[in-house]
Amino acid sequence: HVQLVESGGGSVQAGGALTLSCVVSDDTIRSRCMAWFRQTPGKEREGVAFMSAGDSFTFYDDSVQGRFTISQDDAKNTLYLQMNSLNSDDSAMYYCAAAPDLSWPPDFRYWGQGTQVTVS
């Protein structure tokens, strides 16, 4: 099955920016719903940004609307999350997720290992 590998996390000061990347192991990214989730200790994993490139559809959680941008590069089989104006509430482990197709609601059954974002 498809594998996802995230990168780009790190430590940043409040107000700063980071870009997360997620490389998909095959060339099917355009035929899948893709998403970024995040999780902090003791809390449930929450979805922050969703993308269905086949339908050119994106959706953001209210907490990141206007600050985060999800995008993908089909040629590189890579999903991105551009994060601007970061604050301490954005500190979390960020996960890339993929569904097997473009069905809605998506079944995010494939997950990366996560990349840590810390905002101080």
Side-chain angles (χ1 to χ4, degrees):
H1 59 264
V2 67
Q3 294 183 327
L4 311 175
V5 179
E6 304 101 331
S7 62
S11 297
V12 64
Q13 291 187 339
L18 281 174
T19 299
L20 306 183
S21 300
C22 170
V23 177
V24 181
S25 61
D26 60 21
D27 60 355
T28 60
I29 191 171
R30 189 161 181 81
S31 61
R32 301 178 183 273
C33 287
M34 302 291 299
W36 288 97
F37 287 76
R38 65 187 180 187
Q39 187 172 26
T40 54
K43 293 187 178 181
E44 292 188 0
R45 192 172 297 186
E46 62 175 1
V48 296
F50 301 84
M51 178 166 221
S52 178
D55 296 327
S56 299
F57 171 79
T58 57
F59 178 81
Y60 298 91
D61 184 78
D62 287 345
S63 64
V64 306
Q65 179 74 46
R67 300 187 298 120
F68 290 12
T69 302
I70 188 171
S71 63
Q72 65 186 56
D73 184 329
D74 294 345
K76 296 182 178 180
N77 302 320
T78 302
L79 182 74
Y80 301 99
L81 185 67
Q82 173 67 44
M83 306 185 295
N84 297 326
S85 302
L86 288 162
N87 58 61
S88 58
D89 290 339
D90 298 316
S91 294
M93 184 71 79
Y94 282 73
Y95 297 91
C96 174
D101 50 38
L102 296 173
S103 300
W104 195 267
D107 172 18
F108 291 115
R109 64 180 67 173
Y110 306 111
W111 295 84
Q113 82 288 350
T115 186
Q116 179 69 40
V117 172
T118 302
V119 184
S120 59

